[in-house]
Amino acid sequence: MAGIGVTPHVGLKSAYEREGWCEPPYRFSDAAVALLRERTLAISRERRPEVVHEKDSGTVRAVHGCHAFDEVCAALVRHPYLVELAEHLVGGPVYVYQFKVNLKQAHEGAAWPWHQDFAFWHEEDGMPHPDAVNIAISLDDVHAGNGPLMAIPGSHRLGLLDLPEDRAGDEDSDWRSHVSADLAYTVNADRARTLAKQNGRKLFLGTQGSIQVFHPSIVHSSSNNVSSDRRALLLITYNAVTNAPTRPTRPTFLVSRDATPVESRADERLDLQVLPDPASSSR
Ligand code: SIN
Ligand code: MN
């Protein structure tokens, strides 16, 4: 691929299939991050349905669907490296299913309990298979104290865990319980603890601009932000065009109805930098 001069995605698929997560060997530049941060924080200050607050507070927890109305976010989802990465991992053309920025404000950003994203997409929207992929881009430096995302490697191979028996298609289901700290579909905490003892936990730490990729069925969570540093995490979910949900009813800013394959297009404002090769630094 033309661009940053690396063949970036070779070898990632086997790691992704085995572990349920992977990291490409590049990150977004500080200038690109600054632009994305400026746009998404400006949106977070608007009064609009896509902006979600923490429980009982005016603190913004997340903004959704920005790619549908902001041109920088629209350019981001068409980034040739991201599209090629998603197509490589999913195995064919993709479209944007979901776009969100979880802001996790300093001292106030609340946890996400252990869960699997595919539980929501399958049960609520009728997504047939977990043939989708989450690409997470850190818009702030992420450290152990500001509520990093953590995942249990290999847990994506266990199928959906702890689904409530009578919830699927529940007409009273409120989409806010899919984006709040009181999630509708969680993985039992004891089960997650046991799994984490067996398989370990992967913490998604890194500088701003870092990119991490995780599977729709991987068990993951994140803790409260107990630090004075915000942790803004931008998440794009690409879904295979052959895997569109069969009964989407949630707002379009949570579930895109348009399964047209995303066409990649380079935008010089959203430049990438190659990461140092970890093998060469250990020599
Ligand atoms: C988080 O922002 O920490 C949670 C993201 C997710 O569960 O997808
Ligand atoms: Mn999740």
Side-chain angles (χ1 to χ4, degrees), residues 100 102 104 112 115 117 147 149 214 220 222 231 233 235:
K100 57 191 178 246
N102 292 337
K104 212 172 260 200
W112 292 79
H115 67 278
D117 292 342
L149 194 59
F214 60 100
H220 62 287
S222 64
R231 189 232 59 177
L233 187 67
L235 292 137

